Protein backbone atom coordinates (compact mmCIF):
# COMPACT_ATOMS: atom_id res chain seq x y z
CA UNK A 1 0.00 0.00 0.00
CA UNK A 2 1.41 3.37 -1.00
CA UNK A 3 2.04 5.78 1.88
CA UNK A 4 0.05 8.92 2.61
CA UNK A 5 3.07 11.14 1.93
CA UNK A 6 3.66 9.46 -1.44
CA UNK A 7 0.03 9.89 -2.47
CA UNK A 8 0.07 13.51 -1.28
CA UNK A 9 3.13 14.29 -3.39
CA UNK A 10 1.59 12.49 -6.38
CA UNK A 11 -1.60 14.56 -6.15
CA UNK A 12 0.33 17.81 -5.71
CA UNK A 13 2.63 17.03 -8.66
CA UNK A 14 -0.32 16.13 -10.88
CA UNK A 15 -1.78 19.58 -10.30
CA UNK A 16 1.58 21.39 -10.35
CA UNK A 17 1.09 22.62 -6.78
CA UNK A 18 3.83 23.51 -4.33
CA UNK A 19 3.57 23.35 -0.53
CA UNK A 20 3.07 27.10 -0.34
CA UNK A 21 0.07 26.80 -2.69
CA UNK A 22 -1.61 24.50 -0.18
CA UNK A 23 -0.80 26.94 2.63
CA UNK A 24 -2.38 29.81 0.69
CA UNK A 25 -5.44 27.70 -0.09
CA UNK A 26 -5.79 26.95 3.61
CA UNK A 27 -5.62 30.66 4.43
CA UNK A 28 -8.41 31.40 1.97
CA UNK A 29 -10.50 28.55 3.38
CA UNK A 30 -9.99 29.64 6.96
CA UNK A 31 -8.12 26.39 7.77
CA UNK A 32 -5.19 26.62 10.19
CA UNK A 33 -2.44 24.90 8.24
CA UNK A 34 1.11 26.22 8.27
CA UNK A 35 4.27 25.48 6.35
CA UNK A 36 5.52 23.24 9.12
CA UNK A 37 2.40 21.05 8.95
CA UNK A 38 2.69 20.53 5.18
CA UNK A 39 6.38 19.68 5.42
CA UNK A 40 5.57 17.12 8.10
CA UNK A 41 2.93 15.52 5.88
CA UNK A 42 5.11 15.51 2.75
CA UNK A 43 8.08 14.19 4.73
CA UNK A 44 6.03 11.27 6.04
CA UNK A 45 6.49 12.24 9.69
CA UNK A 46 2.80 12.54 10.46
CA UNK A 47 -0.70 12.11 9.04
CA UNK A 48 -3.27 14.92 9.34
CA UNK A 49 -6.34 14.73 11.51
CA UNK A 50 -9.76 14.17 9.95
CA UNK A 51 -10.67 17.82 9.30
CA UNK A 52 -7.31 18.61 7.70
CA UNK A 53 -7.39 15.41 5.65
CA UNK A 54 -10.78 16.38 4.29
CA UNK A 55 -9.49 19.83 3.33
CA UNK A 56 -6.46 18.36 1.54
CA UNK A 57 -8.60 15.86 -0.36
CA UNK A 58 -11.04 18.58 -1.45
CA UNK A 59 -8.24 20.93 -2.41
CA UNK A 60 -6.44 18.30 -4.48
CA UNK A 61 -9.62 16.85 -5.96
CA UNK A 62 -8.95 13.33 -4.69
CA UNK A 63 -10.69 10.81 -2.47
CA UNK A 64 -9.75 10.81 1.23
CA UNK A 65 -9.31 7.03 1.31
CA UNK A 66 -7.08 7.14 -1.76
CA UNK A 67 -4.99 9.88 -0.15
CA UNK A 68 -4.51 7.64 2.90
CA UNK A 69 -3.06 4.97 0.61
CA UNK A 70 -6.08 2.75 0.11
CA UNK A 71 -6.95 1.34 -3.32
CA UNK A 72 -9.87 3.52 -4.43
CA UNK A 73 -10.31 5.69 -7.51
CA UNK A 74 -7.99 8.69 -7.35
CA UNK A 75 -10.77 11.20 -7.70
CA UNK A 76 -14.44 11.04 -6.86
CA UNK A 77 -15.24 14.70 -7.48
CA UNK A 78 -16.80 15.69 -10.81
CA UNK A 79 -16.10 19.35 -10.06
CA UNK A 80 -12.67 20.97 -10.31
CA UNK A 81 -10.48 20.83 -7.17
CA UNK A 82 -11.45 23.56 -4.70
CA UNK A 83 -8.13 25.33 -5.03
CA UNK A 84 -8.77 25.77 -8.78
CA UNK A 85 -12.42 26.72 -8.51
CA UNK A 86 -11.71 30.39 -7.91
CA UNK A 87 -10.22 30.66 -11.38
CA UNK A 88 -13.09 28.72 -12.90
CA UNK A 89 -15.76 30.91 -11.33
CA UNK A 90 -14.36 34.05 -12.95
CA UNK A 91 -16.01 32.90 -16.19
CA UNK A 92 -19.41 32.50 -14.53
CA UNK A 93 -22.18 35.09 -14.27
CA UNK A 94 -21.83 37.40 -11.27
CA UNK A 95 -25.01 35.96 -9.72
CA UNK A 96 -23.35 32.52 -9.54
CA UNK A 97 -20.07 33.62 -8.01
CA UNK A 98 -19.22 33.10 -4.36
CA UNK A 99 -19.66 36.42 -2.57
CA UNK A 100 -16.76 35.56 -0.25
CA UNK A 101 -14.13 35.54 -2.98
CA UNK A 102 -11.24 35.09 -0.56
CA UNK A 103 -12.38 31.50 0.06
CA UNK A 104 -12.23 28.60 -2.42
CA UNK A 105 -15.60 27.82 -3.96
CA UNK A 106 -17.43 24.52 -3.53
CA UNK A 107 -19.51 23.61 -6.56
CA UNK A 108 -22.58 21.42 -6.95
CA UNK A 109 -22.58 18.57 -9.48
CA UNK A 110 -24.12 21.04 -11.90
CA UNK A 111 -21.20 23.42 -11.38
CA UNK A 112 -23.18 26.00 -9.39
CA UNK A 113 -21.36 27.66 -6.45
CA UNK A 114 -22.67 26.63 -3.04
CA UNK A 115 -23.05 29.09 -0.21
CA UNK A 116 -20.43 28.51 2.50
CA UNK A 117 -20.40 29.50 6.16
CA UNK A 118 -17.05 30.80 7.36
CA UNK A 119 -15.71 31.76 10.74
CA UNK A 120 -15.91 35.42 11.68
CA UNK A 121 -13.12 37.67 10.47
CA UNK A 122 -12.89 38.82 14.09
CA UNK A 123 -11.01 35.55 14.68
CA UNK A 124 -8.29 36.42 12.17
CA UNK A 125 -6.02 37.86 14.84
CA UNK A 126 -6.91 35.38 17.57
CA UNK A 127 -4.18 33.05 18.82
CA UNK A 128 -4.36 30.38 21.51
CA UNK A 129 -1.51 27.93 20.93
CA UNK A 130 -1.69 26.60 24.50
CA UNK A 131 -4.39 24.46 22.88
CA UNK A 132 -3.34 24.82 19.24
CA UNK A 133 -1.97 22.93 16.20
CA UNK A 134 0.88 21.24 18.07
CA UNK A 135 -1.60 20.08 20.71
CA UNK A 136 -3.80 18.71 17.92
CA UNK A 137 -0.85 16.71 16.64
CA UNK A 138 -0.17 15.39 20.15
CA UNK A 139 -3.81 14.27 20.36
CA UNK A 140 -3.45 12.42 17.06
CA UNK A 141 -0.34 10.67 18.37
CA UNK A 142 -2.14 9.66 21.55
CA UNK A 143 -5.00 8.29 19.49
CA UNK A 144 -2.40 6.17 17.71
CA UNK A 145 -1.31 4.73 21.07
CA UNK A 146 1.74 6.90 21.79
CA UNK A 147 2.41 8.36 25.25
CA UNK A 148 2.99 12.12 25.28
CA UNK A 149 4.34 14.05 28.28
CA UNK A 150 2.29 17.24 28.43
CA UNK A 151 4.32 20.19 29.68
CA UNK A 152 2.13 22.67 27.81
CA UNK A 153 -0.76 23.56 30.11
CA UNK A 154 -1.05 24.65 33.74
CA UNK A 155 -3.50 21.97 34.82
CA UNK A 156 -2.49 20.70 38.29
CA UNK A 157 -4.81 17.68 38.60
CA UNK A 158 -3.07 15.30 36.14
CA UNK A 159 0.19 15.74 38.05
CA UNK A 160 -1.14 14.57 41.41
CA UNK A 161 -2.11 17.90 42.97
CA UNK A 162 -5.33 17.31 44.89
CA UNK A 163 -8.09 19.68 45.89
CA UNK A 164 -8.10 20.26 49.67
CA UNK A 165 -10.41 17.73 51.34
CA UNK A 166 -12.30 20.47 53.15
CA UNK A 167 -13.20 22.13 49.86
CA UNK A 168 -14.53 18.90 48.33
CA UNK A 169 -16.48 18.09 51.49
CA UNK A 170 -18.08 21.53 51.72
CA UNK A 171 -19.13 21.50 48.08
CA UNK A 172 -20.79 18.12 48.58
CA UNK A 173 -22.69 19.38 51.59
CA UNK A 174 -24.03 22.36 49.63
CA UNK A 175 -24.89 20.75 46.29
CA UNK A 176 -28.62 20.52 46.98
CA UNK A 177 -28.61 24.22 47.90
CA UNK A 178 -26.90 25.30 44.67
CA UNK A 179 -29.19 23.79 42.05
CA UNK A 180 -30.69 27.10 40.97
CA UNK A 181 -29.27 30.34 39.61
CA UNK A 182 -27.51 32.70 41.95
CA UNK A 183 -27.48 36.48 41.69
CA UNK A 184 -25.69 37.51 38.51
CA UNK A 185 -22.56 38.67 40.32
CA UNK A 186 -22.53 35.62 42.57
CA UNK A 187 -23.48 34.29 45.98
CA UNK A 188 -23.31 36.77 48.84
CA UNK A 189 -21.07 34.44 50.88
CA UNK A 190 -18.58 34.09 48.02
CA UNK A 191 -18.45 37.81 47.27
CA UNK A 192 -18.13 38.66 50.96
CA UNK A 193 -15.11 36.36 51.25
CA UNK A 194 -13.57 37.86 48.10
CA UNK A 195 -14.20 41.37 49.42
CA UNK A 196 -12.40 40.50 52.65
CA UNK A 197 -9.54 38.99 50.67
CA UNK A 198 -9.30 42.25 48.70
CA UNK A 199 -9.12 44.13 51.99
CA UNK A 200 -6.21 41.93 53.09
CA UNK A 201 -4.49 42.88 49.82
CA UNK A 202 -5.07 46.58 50.65
CA UNK A 203 -7.21 47.15 47.55
CA UNK A 204 -9.11 50.40 48.24
CA UNK A 205 -12.78 51.33 47.96
CA UNK A 206 -14.23 47.83 47.45
CA UNK A 207 -17.75 46.82 48.43
CA UNK A 208 -19.88 43.75 47.79
CA UNK A 209 -21.28 45.24 44.57
CA UNK A 210 -17.75 45.61 43.19
CA UNK A 211 -17.20 41.83 43.18
CA UNK A 212 -18.08 39.69 40.14
CA UNK A 213 -17.68 35.92 40.09
CA UNK A 214 -17.04 34.12 36.81
CA UNK A 215 -16.50 30.72 35.25
CA UNK A 216 -12.79 31.14 35.74
CA UNK A 217 -10.90 34.36 35.13
CA UNK A 218 -11.05 33.60 31.39
CA UNK A 219 -14.76 34.40 31.17
CA UNK A 220 -14.30 37.65 33.06
CA UNK A 221 -11.43 38.80 30.84
CA UNK A 222 -13.68 38.34 27.83
CA UNK A 223 -16.58 40.11 29.55
CA UNK A 224 -14.45 43.04 30.75
CA UNK A 225 -13.01 43.68 27.29
CA UNK A 226 -16.39 43.35 25.54
CA UNK A 227 -17.92 45.92 27.88
CA UNK A 228 -15.15 48.46 27.28
CA UNK A 229 -13.80 48.48 23.76
CA UNK A 230 -14.96 50.16 20.58
CA UNK A 231 -13.35 49.50 17.21
CA UNK A 232 -9.87 50.96 17.14
CA UNK A 233 -9.44 51.36 20.90
CA UNK A 234 -5.97 50.30 22.00
CA UNK A 235 -4.97 48.30 25.06
CA UNK A 236 -1.37 47.83 26.18
CA UNK A 237 -0.72 44.10 26.69
CA UNK A 238 2.57 42.51 27.76
CA UNK A 239 4.75 40.45 25.44
CA UNK A 240 5.04 37.64 26.30
CA UNK A 241 1.45 37.47 27.53
CA UNK A 242 -1.21 34.98 28.46
CA UNK A 243 -2.69 34.89 24.95
CA UNK A 244 -6.31 35.14 26.06
CA UNK A 245 -5.74 38.82 26.83
CA UNK A 246 -4.67 39.64 23.27
CA UNK A 247 -7.45 37.45 21.85
CA UNK A 248 -10.18 39.11 23.92
CA UNK A 249 -8.99 42.62 23.08
CA UNK A 250 -9.08 41.77 19.37
CA UNK A 251 -12.43 39.96 19.57
CA UNK A 252 -13.96 43.00 21.25
CA UNK A 253 -12.90 45.16 18.30
CA UNK A 254 -9.90 46.71 20.00
CA UNK A 255 -6.22 46.54 19.13
CA UNK A 256 -3.74 44.81 21.43
CA UNK A 257 -0.50 46.80 21.46
CA UNK A 258 2.28 44.74 22.97
CA UNK A 259 4.83 46.27 25.30
CA UNK A 260 8.02 44.30 25.89
CA UNK A 261 8.94 42.54 29.10
CA UNK A 262 12.72 42.53 29.41
CA UNK A 263 14.37 39.14 29.96
CA UNK A 264 17.61 40.83 31.00
CA UNK A 265 15.76 42.59 33.83
CA UNK A 266 14.00 39.61 35.44
CA UNK A 267 11.28 39.85 32.76
CA UNK A 268 10.00 43.14 34.23
CA UNK A 269 7.96 45.42 31.92
CA UNK A 270 10.04 47.84 29.87
CA UNK A 271 8.49 51.12 31.05
CA UNK A 272 10.08 53.17 28.27
CA UNK A 273 8.63 50.81 25.66
CA UNK A 274 5.26 50.99 27.37
CA UNK A 275 5.37 54.78 27.36
CA UNK A 276 6.39 54.91 23.69
CA UNK A 277 3.37 52.87 22.68
CA UNK A 278 0.70 55.03 24.32
CA UNK A 279 -1.41 56.96 21.80
CA UNK A 280 -4.61 58.97 21.97
CA UNK A 281 -6.47 55.69 21.32
CA UNK A 282 -4.99 53.91 24.36
CA UNK A 283 -7.58 53.24 27.07
CA UNK A 284 -5.97 50.70 29.39
CA UNK A 285 -2.87 48.82 30.52
CA UNK A 286 -2.96 45.07 31.18
CA UNK A 287 -0.62 43.68 33.80
CA UNK A 288 -0.07 39.96 34.44
CA UNK A 289 1.54 39.70 37.87
CA UNK A 290 2.74 37.10 38.78
CA UNK A 291 3.43 36.56 35.13
CA UNK A 292 2.46 33.72 32.88
CA UNK A 293 4.55 32.51 31.00
CA UNK A 294 7.73 33.85 32.65
CA UNK A 295 7.03 33.34 36.36
CA UNK A 296 8.17 36.91 37.06
CA UNK A 297 6.97 38.81 40.13
CA UNK A 298 6.94 42.60 39.89
CA UNK A 299 8.31 44.57 42.87
CA UNK A 300 6.63 47.73 44.20
CA UNK A 301 9.07 50.06 42.44
CA UNK A 302 8.12 48.63 39.03
CA UNK A 303 4.42 48.75 39.87
CA UNK A 304 4.79 52.39 40.94
CA UNK A 305 6.21 53.33 37.54
CA UNK A 306 3.22 51.73 35.84
CA UNK A 307 0.82 53.55 38.18
CA UNK A 308 2.57 56.85 37.39
CA UNK A 309 2.25 56.20 33.68
CA UNK A 310 -1.43 55.27 33.96
CA UNK A 311 -2.08 58.36 36.06
CA UNK A 312 -0.30 60.63 33.59
CA UNK A 313 -2.37 59.37 30.65
CA UNK A 314 -5.60 58.65 32.58
CA UNK A 315 -5.63 54.94 31.74
CA UNK A 316 -7.49 52.05 33.33
CA UNK A 317 -5.47 49.20 34.83
CA UNK A 318 -6.42 45.54 34.39
CA UNK A 319 -4.35 43.32 36.66
CA UNK A 320 -4.40 39.53 36.24
CA UNK A 321 -3.28 38.13 39.61
CA UNK A 322 -4.45 34.51 39.42
CA UNK A 323 -1.04 33.30 40.71
CA UNK A 324 -0.80 35.74 43.62
CA UNK A 325 -0.73 32.91 46.19
CA UNK A 326 2.01 30.97 44.39
CA UNK A 327 4.93 33.24 45.30
CA UNK A 328 8.25 31.76 46.45
CA UNK A 329 11.56 32.73 48.06
CA UNK A 330 9.91 34.64 50.90
CA UNK A 331 8.73 37.35 48.50
CA UNK A 332 5.35 39.08 48.77
CA UNK A 333 2.86 39.81 46.04
CA UNK A 334 1.58 43.39 45.90
CA UNK A 335 -1.66 44.22 44.10
CA UNK A 336 -1.13 47.23 41.86
CA UNK A 337 -4.63 48.45 42.75
CA UNK A 338 -3.44 48.97 46.33
CA UNK A 339 -1.04 51.61 44.99
CA UNK A 340 -3.59 53.42 42.83
CA UNK A 341 -6.58 54.59 44.91
CA UNK A 342 -7.19 57.47 42.51
CA UNK A 343 -7.29 55.29 39.38
CA UNK A 344 -9.96 52.87 38.20
CA UNK A 345 -8.60 49.33 38.46
CA UNK A 346 -9.97 45.87 37.75
CA UNK A 347 -8.20 43.03 39.56
CA UNK A 348 -8.64 39.36 38.57
CA UNK A 349 -7.99 36.25 40.63
CA UNK A 350 -9.48 32.86 41.44
CA UNK A 351 -8.97 29.40 42.90
CA UNK A 352 -7.98 27.35 39.84
CA UNK A 353 -4.24 27.42 40.55
CA UNK A 354 -3.91 28.11 44.27
CA UNK A 355 -6.41 25.40 45.26
CA UNK A 356 -5.72 23.01 42.37
CA UNK A 357 -9.34 23.11 41.17
CA UNK A 358 -8.96 24.32 37.59
CA UNK A 359 -11.95 22.25 36.51
CA UNK A 360 -14.31 23.86 39.01
CA UNK A 361 -14.11 27.11 37.02
CA UNK A 362 -14.36 29.77 39.70
CA UNK A 363 -12.68 33.14 39.39
CA UNK A 364 -13.51 36.75 40.20
CA UNK A 365 -12.81 40.36 39.36
CA UNK A 366 -12.76 43.29 41.76
CA UNK A 367 -13.48 46.90 40.80
CA UNK A 368 -11.60 49.46 42.88
CA UNK A 369 -10.33 53.00 43.11
CA UNK A 370 -12.03 55.86 41.30
CA UNK A 371 -15.28 54.26 40.16
CA UNK A 372 -16.90 57.62 39.37
CA UNK A 373 -14.98 57.83 36.09
CA UNK A 374 -16.17 54.35 35.10
CA UNK A 375 -19.88 54.64 35.86
CA UNK A 376 -20.94 54.01 32.27
CA UNK A 377 -18.46 51.14 31.87
CA UNK A 378 -19.74 49.50 35.04
CA UNK A 379 -23.26 49.71 33.62
CA UNK A 380 -21.97 47.79 30.60
CA UNK A 381 -20.32 45.20 32.84
CA UNK A 382 -23.58 44.71 34.71
CA UNK A 383 -25.49 44.30 31.47
CA UNK A 384 -23.17 41.55 30.21
CA UNK A 385 -23.07 39.92 33.63
CA UNK A 386 -26.86 39.74 33.71
CA UNK A 387 -26.97 38.37 30.17
CA UNK A 388 -24.83 35.34 31.08
CA UNK A 389 -27.12 34.87 34.15
CA UNK A 390 -24.50 33.68 36.67
CA UNK A 391 -21.33 31.66 37.11
CA UNK A 392 -21.09 28.06 38.33
CA UNK A 393 -23.03 28.11 41.61
CA UNK A 394 -21.62 24.91 43.22
CA UNK A 395 -18.12 26.29 42.63
CA UNK A 396 -19.12 29.64 44.15
CA UNK A 397 -20.27 27.81 47.28
CA UNK A 398 -16.72 26.83 48.25
CA UNK A 399 -15.05 30.24 47.86
CA UNK A 400 -15.60 31.11 51.51
CA UNK A 401 -14.14 27.77 52.61
CA UNK A 402 -11.17 28.03 50.26
CA UNK A 403 -10.16 31.56 51.24
CA UNK A 404 -10.49 30.92 54.98
CA UNK A 405 -8.36 28.83 57.30
CA UNK A 406 -5.19 26.93 56.39
CA UNK A 407 -3.95 27.59 52.87
CA UNK A 408 -2.59 24.27 51.61
CA UNK A 409 -0.80 25.98 48.73
CA UNK A 410 1.68 27.40 51.27
CA UNK A 411 3.02 23.88 51.78
CA UNK A 412 3.98 23.65 48.11
CA UNK A 413 5.92 26.91 47.76
CA UNK A 414 8.49 26.60 50.57
CA UNK A 415 11.72 24.54 50.54
CA UNK A 416 10.69 20.89 50.56
CA UNK A 417 7.40 21.69 48.87
CA UNK A 418 6.72 20.28 45.42
CA UNK A 419 6.38 23.49 43.43
CA UNK A 420 9.40 25.10 45.08
CA UNK A 421 11.70 22.11 44.60
CA UNK A 422 10.48 21.38 41.08
CA UNK A 423 11.13 25.04 40.23
CA UNK A 424 14.68 24.79 41.53
CA UNK A 425 15.33 21.58 39.62
CA UNK A 426 13.99 22.71 36.23
CA UNK A 427 15.82 26.04 36.45
CA UNK A 428 19.19 24.43 37.13
CA UNK A 429 18.66 21.56 34.67
CA UNK A 430 17.66 23.77 31.76
CA UNK A 431 20.58 26.13 32.27
CA UNK A 432 22.91 23.12 32.22
CA UNK A 433 21.92 22.33 28.59
CA UNK A 434 24.25 23.81 25.99
CA UNK A 435 22.33 26.44 24.02
CA UNK A 436 19.58 26.99 26.64
CA UNK A 437 19.29 29.77 29.23
CA UNK A 438 16.46 30.63 31.60
CA UNK A 439 15.58 33.27 34.17
CA UNK A 440 14.59 31.79 37.54
CA UNK A 441 10.84 32.13 38.13
CA UNK A 442 9.72 33.77 41.37
CA UNK A 443 6.09 32.63 41.20
CA UNK A 444 3.50 30.45 39.42
CA UNK A 445 4.69 27.15 37.90
CA UNK A 446 6.08 28.12 34.50
CA UNK A 447 9.53 28.78 33.11
CA UNK A 448 10.23 30.48 29.76
CA UNK A 449 13.68 29.33 28.55
CA UNK A 450 15.58 30.85 25.67
CA UNK A 451 17.14 28.87 22.80
CA UNK A 452 20.32 29.84 20.99
CA UNK A 453 18.69 30.20 17.56
CA UNK A 454 22.04 30.54 15.80
CA UNK A 455 23.33 27.30 17.29
CA UNK A 456 20.19 25.37 16.31
CA UNK A 457 19.35 27.45 13.22
CA UNK A 458 15.79 27.91 14.50
CA UNK A 459 13.58 30.15 12.37
CA UNK A 460 10.19 28.60 13.18
CA UNK A 461 9.31 27.89 16.81
CA UNK A 462 6.20 25.92 15.85
CA UNK A 463 8.41 23.62 13.79
CA UNK A 464 10.71 23.25 16.81
CA UNK A 465 7.76 22.26 19.00
CA UNK A 466 6.54 19.74 16.41
CA UNK A 467 9.99 18.23 15.98
CA UNK A 468 10.43 17.84 19.74
CA UNK A 469 6.99 16.25 19.97
CA UNK A 470 7.70 13.75 17.19
CA UNK A 471 11.20 12.83 18.30
CA UNK A 472 10.80 12.77 22.08
CA UNK A 473 7.01 12.71 22.73
CA UNK A 474 7.27 15.91 24.79
CA UNK A 475 4.64 18.62 24.35
CA UNK A 476 5.64 22.23 25.07
CA UNK A 477 4.15 25.58 24.02
CA UNK A 478 6.17 27.71 21.62
CA UNK A 479 7.07 31.26 22.57
CA UNK A 480 5.05 32.65 19.66
CA UNK A 481 1.96 31.24 21.35
CA UNK A 482 2.42 33.97 23.97
CA UNK A 483 2.75 36.75 21.40
CA UNK A 484 6.54 36.72 21.64
CA UNK A 485 7.85 37.83 18.27
CA UNK A 486 11.13 35.89 18.07
CA UNK A 487 11.35 32.09 17.53
CA UNK A 488 13.73 31.70 20.47
CA UNK A 489 11.58 30.80 23.49
CA UNK A 490 9.21 28.12 24.73
CA UNK A 491 7.27 27.54 27.92
CA UNK A 492 7.57 24.53 30.20
CA UNK A 493 5.05 23.77 32.94
CA UNK A 494 7.01 22.32 35.87
CA UNK A 495 4.08 20.68 37.66
CA UNK A 496 5.30 17.06 37.17
CA UNK A 497 7.38 15.45 39.91
CA UNK A 498 11.16 15.81 39.71
CA UNK A 499 11.73 12.28 38.40
CA UNK A 500 9.38 13.03 35.48
CA UNK A 501 11.00 16.41 34.85
CA UNK A 502 14.44 14.77 34.92
CA UNK A 503 13.42 12.32 32.22
CA UNK A 504 11.99 15.19 30.15
CA UNK A 505 15.14 17.32 30.50
CA UNK A 506 17.37 14.36 29.60
CA UNK A 507 15.32 13.84 26.43
CA UNK A 508 15.39 17.56 25.63
CA UNK A 509 19.18 17.65 26.09
CA UNK A 510 19.58 14.66 23.79
CA UNK A 511 17.26 16.23 21.22
CA UNK A 512 19.23 19.49 21.23
CA UNK A 513 22.52 17.62 20.91
CA UNK A 514 21.65 16.84 17.30
CA UNK A 515 18.85 19.27 16.41
CA UNK A 516 19.38 21.72 13.57
CA UNK A 517 16.36 23.23 11.86
Amino acid sequence: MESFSARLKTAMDARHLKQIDIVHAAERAGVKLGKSHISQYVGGKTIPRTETLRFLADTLGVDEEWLLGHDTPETSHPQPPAILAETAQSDRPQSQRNTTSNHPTILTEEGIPMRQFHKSTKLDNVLYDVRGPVVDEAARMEEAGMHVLKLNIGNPAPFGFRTPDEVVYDMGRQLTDTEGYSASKGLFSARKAIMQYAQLKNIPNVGIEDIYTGNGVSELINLSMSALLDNGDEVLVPSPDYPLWTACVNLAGGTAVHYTCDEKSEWYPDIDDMRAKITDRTVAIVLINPNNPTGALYPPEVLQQIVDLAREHQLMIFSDEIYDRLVMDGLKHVSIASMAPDLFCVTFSGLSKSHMIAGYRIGWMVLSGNKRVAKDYIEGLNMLTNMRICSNVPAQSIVQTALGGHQSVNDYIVPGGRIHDQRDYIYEALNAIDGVTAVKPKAAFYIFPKLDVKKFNITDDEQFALDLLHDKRILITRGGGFNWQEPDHFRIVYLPRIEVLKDAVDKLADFLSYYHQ
Side-chain angles (χ1 to χ4, degrees), residues 32-41 46 133 462-463 466:
K32 186 151 180 117
L33 189 64
K35 293 180 293 184
S36 58
H37 298 97
I38 296 295
S39 63
Q40 294 284 330
Y41 303 151
T46 186
E462 183 174 275
Q463 185 66 56
L466 280 167

Side-chain angles (χ1 to χ4, degrees), residues 87-118:
T87 303
Q89 73 167 323
S90 63
D91 297 327
R92 300 183 180 278
Q94 182 66 40
S95 60
Q96 294 183 13
R97 295 183 195 174
N98 189 344
T99 55
T100 53
S101 59
N102 60 323
H103 295 283
T105 304
I106 298 174
L107 306 177
T108 66
E109 291 185 8
E110 294 77 22
I112 300 172
M114 297 175 66
R115 179 180 180 181
Q116 298 178 63
F117 301 94
H118 304 291

Side-chain angles (χ1 to χ4, degrees), residues 212 374-384:
Y212 298 71
K375 185 177 180 181
D376 195 52
Y377 171 62
I378 294 170
E379 184 178 319
L381 283 178
N382 292 338
M383 183 184 300
L384 293 180

